[in-house]
Amino acid sequence: MKKFTTVHDVSDVNSLVVEALQLKQNRYAFQHLGKNKTIALVFLNPSLRTRMSTQKAALNLGMNVMVLNIDKEGWALELRDDIAMNGTTVEHIREAAAVMGQYADIIGVRSFPGLKDREEDYSETIFNKFVEFCGVPIVSLESATRHPLQSLADLVTIEELKARHRPKVVLTWAPHIKPLPQAVPNSFAEWMCKADVDFTIAHPKGYELCEDFTKGATINHNQDEALADADFIYVKNWSAYEPYGQILPGNEDWMLTNDRLKNTNNAKVMHCLPVRRDLELSAEILDGQSSIVVHEAGNRVWAAQAVLKRMLESL
Ligand code: SN0
């Protein structure tokens, strides 16, 4: 595997999930693969789980890890071509990415969307430039439109904990006070549409995701109806796709509470984290028996390790 930015970079999703679960049982079996190999993790935005789980995954595979918080510790990056750099940017992504490729065998990049210009965000400029100029395999640590390591860990978690062959999985919108990216729900939808699950998306009218990611999903604007008989509920806020990056008024009552779980199939509740308690998701759920958010975060290691293992095998 030379690139891991979307589910479309994976030819066999099921066997990648199986591989992740096997690595969970036998985490140090492939240390020879990473010997004298280096991964550089480059962050343009904050991170807790992605940073630590990807580092742990790389260390389990015997790799060396370099982390660069380029937004705070690096030179201000220029992305545009054909301009004289006489402003605040100091270094062009052409040189920066190429130089990183001299130091690392694999590069991971995190870059959130600006949520101002939809076309710019959905064209994934920063990512594509890294791919173009760094010359080594690239793994997405969350881009403007997707978070594939999270989605793989989510699918691994569902496969690991499911009690029936084809579980019902519901992605439900949650309230927030800040406009958040569509990356996590886009990616989750894209992966669930490829998985052997019965997949529903519940959101208030106006929060339709881009159809490229949701083809094959059932969409319901009534949360209680959508949650009926659910085995897994994936809670996530996102801002509107149209008008882009906006929060629409109302919908505070979409926060999941224990009461809402009554008609589910004893549903397990997931969230990618970080989660704002009693705004996005009730504390009673987070502190109760239904929540699997910490277990899910733990599985980030095995998802990342399965992807890095495949990349090391193709070096
Ligand atoms: C990010 C998001 O894409 O929703 C990262 C999730 C892995 N979340 C946030 O930016 C949360 C920010 C906040 O203020 O709650």
Side-chain angles (χ1 to χ4, degrees):
M1 195 189 287
K2 297 282 185 203
K3 189 159 77 77
F4 183 73
T5 58
T6 99
V7 72
H8 307 300
D9 292 325
V10 184
S11 54
D12 49 339
V13 173
N14 286 341
S15 52
L16 190 60
V17 170
V18 169
E19 213 168 338
L21 287 168
Q22 283 168 348
L23 286 164
K24 185 169 184 171
Q25 299 308 320
N26 204 0
R27 55 194 66 175
Y28 305 121
F30 297 94
Q31 291 224 322
H32 56 283
L33 282 178
K35 187 170 161 45
N36 295 332
K37 295 284 187 278
T38 299
I39 185 168
L41 305 177
V42 183
F43 290 92
L44 287 88
N45 310 95
S47 171
L48 187 158
R49 278 147 294 277
T50 303
R51 173 193 312 252
M52 295 183 79
S53 63
T54 311
Q55 273 196 39
K56 185 71 174 84
L59 293 171
N60 287 351
L61 289 164
M63 301 185 79
N64 299 309
V65 186
M66 300 190 297
V67 179
L68 178 61
N69 300 309
I70 202 169
D71 58 327
K72 299 186 189 75
E73 299 155 358
W75 300 111
L77 276 188
E78 180 57 59
L79 305 175
R80 295 165 299 175
D81 282 324
D82 304 321
I83 56 134
M85 284 169 55
N86 57 4
T88 51
T89 58
V90 179
E91 172 148 44
H92 203 280
I93 192 164
R94 286 176 177 262
E95 283 80 40
V99 168
M100 288 179 207
Q102 299 288 306
Y103 305 145
D105 301 282
I106 298 174
I107 295 179
V109 180
R110 162 161 289 192
S111 169
F112 286 177
L115 292 179
K116 300 271 181 283
D117 180 337
R118 184 166 86 184
E119 210 174 307
E120 186 181 309
D121 289 346
Y122 275 71
S123 67
E124 294 283 11
T125 320
I126 295 186
F127 248 82
N128 291 335
K129 289 196 190 279
F130 261 100
V131 171
E132 185 178 352
F133 301 122
C134 78
V136 297
I138 286 268
V139 50
S140 166
L141 305 175
E142 186 172 348
S143 73
T145 65
R146 291 174 171 95
H147 194 357
L149 283 177
Q150 178 68 50
S151 309
L152 173 57
D154 296 334
L155 181 55
V156 165
T157 305
I158 290 168
E159 285 299 321
E160 184 188 27
L161 301 181
K162 71 181 183 185
R164 54 175 160 172
H165 176 66
R166 196 164 194 275
K168 177 170 177 182
V169 178
V170 182
L171 163 63
T172 182
W173 183 91
H176 207 287
I177 48 153
K178 236 169 80 179
L180 295 193
Q182 292 117 28
V184 170
N186 278 347
S187 205
F188 185 72
E190 182 170 71
W191 282 72
M192 287 304 124
C193 288
K194 279 213 156 190
D196 193 12
V197 301
D198 172 2
F199 181 49
T200 295
I201 306 174
H203 61 70
K205 280 200 179 110
Y207 283 103
E208 285 71 20
L209 292 163
C210 170
E211 284 177 7
D212 294 351
F213 302 90
T214 61
K215 254 180 241 120
T218 305
I219 294 173
N220 198 327
H221 297 133
N222 180 322
Q223 193 184 38
D224 284 326
E225 220 177 88
L227 294 178
D229 204 32
D231 297 286
F232 294 91
I233 304 173
Y234 197 90
V235 177
K236 184 72 185 89
N237 167 267
W238 63 87
S239 59
Y241 182 67
E242 174 73 63
Y244 188 63
Q246 301 291 304
I247 297 182
L248 312 174
N251 306 309
E252 289 80 9
D253 58 339
W254 274 68
M255 184 182 76
L256 204 68
T257 55
N258 276 337
D259 195 46
R260 289 254 160 81
L261 300 183
K262 276 191 202 137
N263 292 326
T264 69
N265 186 26
N266 200 14
K268 297 183 183 350
V269 177
M270 305 174 71
H271 189 288
C272 66
L273 305 180
V275 66
R276 294 188 182 222
R277 286 173 167 250
D278 286 330
L279 174 73
E280 286 179 84
L281 186 51
S282 61
E284 64 177 15
I285 289 191
L286 282 164
D287 297 332
Q289 293 301 308
S290 315
S291 169
I292 54 167
V293 299
V294 173
H295 183 94
E296 175 188 1
N299 280 341
R300 294 289 309 273
V301 176
W302 322 116
Q305 201 170 328
V307 169
L308 295 183
K309 175 174 174 279
R310 286 199 175 181
M311 284 192 166
L312 288 169
E313 283 164 346
S314 72
L315 284 181

